[in-house]
Amino acid sequence: LIPLFPLEIQKINITLKKLKAMKDRGEITMPEIDNSYHSWQGYASHKNSHKTVIEMEKLYQKLFEEA
């Protein structure tokens, strides 16, 4: 298995933050964000990146938890 490259990890990190800003501006809905994130999660699950997926899940929860 080939692990995720650092730039791939950085890219999803930036993407999640951009999606959060778009959600706050009303440009994107939560189902669209969920679809995008879960698509990446499926891709990452085929790599040797269990810890990375867990860390990104924490970021996702932090950014998009509904209060």
Side-chain angles (χ1 to χ4, degrees):
L1 293 172
I2 299 172
L4 288 170
F5 292 106
L7 288 177
E8 291 177 296
I9 297 167
Q10 183 180 10
K11 183 179 176 183
I12 188 61
N13 196 324
I14 291 168
T15 299
L16 285 175
K17 291 175 183 177
K18 285 182 179 180
L19 289 172
K20 170 67 172 159
M22 290 173 69
K23 180 182 177 282
D24 291 345
R25 292 190 303 263
E27 298 174 5
I28 194 168
T29 64
M30 206 52 213
E32 293 170 310
I33 293 170
D34 285 339
N35 187 38
S36 177
Y37 175 69
H38 292 299
S39 175
W40 173 84
Q41 202 175 33
Y43 163 75
S45 71
H46 293 284
K47 303 283 190 158
N48 188 16
S49 57
H50 182 70
K51 288 173 95 175
T52 302
V53 172
I54 291 172
E55 290 302 314
M56 284 301 123
E57 183 66 29
K58 288 179 187 176
L59 175 62
Y60 178 83
Q61 293 298 323
K62 178 181 172 188
L63 291 173
F64 298 107
E65 66 183 11
E66 298 294 327

